[in-house]
Amino acid sequence: MPTEPVGPLTTSPIITRFEGNPILTAAKCPYPATLTFNAGVCKLGDLYYMVFRNDVADPENPGRLHETNLGLATSWDGINWEVQPEPCFSLADDEIVRAYDPRLTVIGQRVYMCFAVDTRHGICGGVAVTDDFSEFEILSFSAPDNRNMVLFPELFGGMYVRLERPFPVYGRGRDSERFDIWISDSPDLRYWGNHQLLLGTEHVPFCNRKIGPAAPPVRTHAGWLTTFHAVDVDENVTWGGMTQFRQEGWKKRYTAGLMLLDLEDPYQVVGMCRTPLIVPEADYELNGFRNAVIFPGGMILEDDGEVKIYYGAADAVTCLATARVEDLIALCQQG
Ligand code: BMA
């Protein structure tokens, strides 16, 4: 059955794109790098840390991407970033193909990283912990297929809580990708249970395919401010583009959405904006590897009420948008 197109969408007027976007490109990396996007960001004291996905072109065949690692960048203002001399993380063995799309959450003084893992037997969600962005202890891998995991920065009744996005291709995705956001908890970040549906695609008017968790939730007085990505397809539209890596026939549009979860019980959605927060409109969002993609992975609430939202643009570069926290809350509360 053909899917109804969502139609034209526009970015919310409360969003300001950073005028110097993109804030991170492959040119800033002192090692082989080609597509530097889908970053996780956290703040420890006054220093910002970014772990970003780096898809690397094959020097023998520059039109082909042959490796993925995670790079590390630091910043004193969250805007100007210095990429560290070496990538900080990669996984590959007989079973694991690569790790990608990191999301960072600080709990106590430790940094937890959720990431996607392509394996020869499916896509899993990984959870790891680090104290120095050099040594990472892997705590758990989910069963396939699952990804886009994000951890809350606080425990609830002694339990860690995460958002996740399983992809049930038989039960739900047979005709098209109807994949929803789920939530689960764990006493130790290794054993996960109490899985429940958090938000179904049918609740998101600007989606006719799948949704998934984006940046780890941020505490506000009104609830956990929580971004997600939403995908829509119009069978008549193929997003054009100019780069040598562009995927031909790419039809999906990725937008950013916003919801509020209950402060005490994050299993409850208490508000959601029925229009998208960020829609691909700028050249760097419309033209890249996969065109028309906004993929948030990090969000920082500053003391003065500014919220920095970090997102991958067109699967090629990393960008920054800002908004006032009260405006974001109001958007979710007005529905
Ligand atoms: C998703 C993931 C992301 C990617 C996005 C848009 O399914 O693969 O890594 O940014 O698609 O291509």
Side-chain angles (χ1 to χ4, degrees), residues 37-38 53 100-101 147 210 250 254 290 293 295 315:
F37 64 114
N38 292 3
R53 167 174 173 181
Y100 56 101
D101 291 0
R147 70 175 162 204
K210 56 187 174 178
W250 176 250
Y254 276 65
R290 286 177 171 168
V293 174
F295 202 81
D315 281 11

Side-chain angles (χ1 to χ4, degrees), residues 37-38 53 55 98 100-101 103 116 118 123 147-148 165 167 177 210 229 231 247 250 252-254 289-295 312-316:
F37 64 114
N38 292 3
R53 167 174 173 181
D55 287 1
R98 60 175 182 162
Y100 56 101
D101 291 0
R103 275 75 177 258
D118 288 350
I123 298 170
R147 70 175 162 204
N148 299 313
R165 213 293 302 284
F167 4 154
E177 302 168 300
K210 56 187 174 178
H229 65 258
V231 180
Q247 287 220 328
W250 176 250
K252 294 173 189 170
R253 171 171 59 179
Y254 276 65
F289 173 65
R290 286 177 171 168
N291 298 337
V293 174
I294 303 279
F295 202 81
D315 281 11

Side-chain angles (χ1 to χ4, degrees), residues 158-185:
M159 302 294 273
Y160 296 90
V161 176
R162 75 181 179 196
L163 306 181
E164 59 194 318
R165 213 293 302 284
F167 4 154
V169 286
Y170 280 102
R172 187 124 168 93
R174 199 183 280 272
D175 301 324
S176 63
E177 302 168 300
R178 300 286 175 176
F179 305 141
D180 314 288
I181 297 177
W182 287 67
I183 183 166
S184 59
D185 64 22

